[in-house]
Amino acid sequence: MSPPLIELSGITRTYGSGEALVRALDGVDLRVEKGEFVAIMGPSGSGKSTAMNIIGCLDRPSDGQYRFNGVEVATLDQDQRALLRRHYLGFVFQGYNLLPRTTAIENVELPLIYKGQRKAERLVRAREALARVGLEGREDHTPSQLSGGQQQRVAIARALAGEPMVMLADEPTGNLDTKRSVEIMELMQELNRDAGLTIVMVTHEEDMAAYASRLVVFTDGKVVRDEAMAERGA
C-alpha cells in the first residue's frame, strides 16, 4: 500500500520564547492522499497558513514529522528541500506574484528555467499550460493587459508547467470578484477531477471551500474538523 502523499504527524510550530511564546501549531495530524482536493479553513491565527508553509517546505516544524510521498522531510538539507519544491510542488498565491513587465508565457516559463529545461521545450510546455487554463492566444499579454481572473490563470499555468504532484493554493480567489472566483474554482476542480492533480487550498470563504472534496478546519493550532464534502458541481 502506497504512503499518503502528505503526512503530518504531531506537528508543532512555536515562535518566540517565555511569555512571548506563540504556539502556531499544536500537535497537528493530517494526511492527504494522491488525487484529493482539500480545503483548509479557520479564523485568523488558527494555524492554517503555518501548516501550508510547512507542507510547502517554506518553514520547518518545531517538533513532529512531515513526510512527503513517504520521505521524511526533516532529513533533507536546504538544497534537497529546494529541489522538492521545484520538482514536486506548484504554488498559487492570492496576489498572483507575476512579473509585471513580462509576458504571460515568460511568466509561465520561469519555473522551467530553474529546472534547467531548454528554451524550445520550455515554450512548448508553457503554451500547453496556458491553453490548459483557457488562455490560448494570450501568451504575449503582460499582466497589465489581463484581468485579475486571467492573471490568476497565468499563475495556475505557471504552477502546472512544472508538472507538480501537488498544487498548494493560498487564498487563490482572495483578490477576485465572485464571478472570477467561481471561474477559478471551477478550473481547479476540473484539474483535480480530470487530471488527478492533488490540491491543498487555504481559504476563508465557505463558498470556495465547497468546490473541494474534503474540508479541514483549524482552530488555535489544532485540527478541529476533518470531513468529506459533496463537491459543488459534482
Side-chain angles (χ1 to χ4, degrees):
M1 185 175 180
S2 60
L5 191 52
I6 293 166
E7 185 174 17
L8 305 182
S9 301
I11 292 291
T12 65
R13 183 65 171 101
T14 58
Y15 301 96
S17 59
E19 293 184 2
L21 181 71
V22 175
R23 191 175 294 274
L25 294 177
D26 188 10
V28 168
D29 296 324
L30 179 66
R31 295 164 60 103
V32 178
E33 304 290 344
K34 293 176 183 177
E36 282 197 285
F37 184 174
V38 180
I40 297 177
M41 297 189 70
S44 178
S46 64
K48 60 186 186 299
S49 293
T50 302
M52 179 71 92
N53 287 338
I54 288 173
I55 292 170
C57 295
L58 301 174
D59 193 7
R60 289 177 177 269
S62 302
D63 199 3
Q65 292 184 318
Y66 168 29
R67 295 184 182 88
F68 183 87
N69 205 28
V71 175
E72 175 53 62
V73 175
T75 65
L76 305 180
D77 61 28
Q78 186 173 344
D79 290 340
Q80 291 171 323
R81 287 162 61 87
L83 287 172
L84 191 157
R85 287 194 301 270
R86 189 178 305 162
H87 291 278
Y88 298 99
L89 304 176
F91 296 88
V92 178
F93 301 98
Q94 177 177 341
Y96 319 137
N97 290 8
L98 303 178
L99 298 179
R101 296 184 178 86
T102 304
T103 64
I105 196 165
E106 289 169 338
N107 269 287
V108 175
E109 278 186 276
L110 279 176
L112 305 180
I113 293 174
Y114 298 141
K115 292 178 76 169
Q117 290 190 0
R118 295 181 178 181
K119 179 69 173 179
E121 184 179 357
R122 292 201 309 266
L123 283 172
V124 169
R125 294 274 291 276
R127 287 186 185 279
E128 288 176 346
L130 285 167
R132 196 171 176 187
V133 300
L135 289 181
E136 194 169 8
R138 304 292 180 104
E139 293 90 348
D140 296 325
H141 287 56
T142 61
S144 64
Q145 296 172 310
L146 299 170
S147 69
Q150 290 171 332
Q151 290 182 59
Q152 192 61 293
R153 286 174 182 268
V154 173
I156 292 172
R158 181 181 57 195
L160 293 175
E163 298 184 337
M165 294 183 73
V166 183
M167 178 185 288
L168 301 176
D170 191 358
E171 300 282 5
T173 61
N175 285 347
L176 303 177
D177 61 26
T178 301
K179 180 179 179 181
R180 271 67 188 186
S181 294
V182 168
E183 290 173 354
I184 291 299
M185 293 312 305
E186 288 178 343
L187 171 61
M188 292 178 67
Q189 192 179 60
E190 178 184 334
L191 291 169
N192 172 251
R193 283 182 183 169
D194 298 347
L197 179 64
T198 304
I199 300 175
V200 180
M201 175 185 72
V202 166
T203 182
H204 66 276
E205 301 172 274
E206 291 185 8
D207 287 352
M208 301 302 106
Y211 286 88
S213 55
R214 180 176 160 205
L215 176 65
V216 176
V217 179
F218 279 71
T219 300
D220 296 331
K222 299 176 181 289
V223 173
V224 297
R225 183 175 160 198
D226 186 345
E227 63 187 31
M229 299 174 65
E231 295 176 63
R232 177 173 293 182

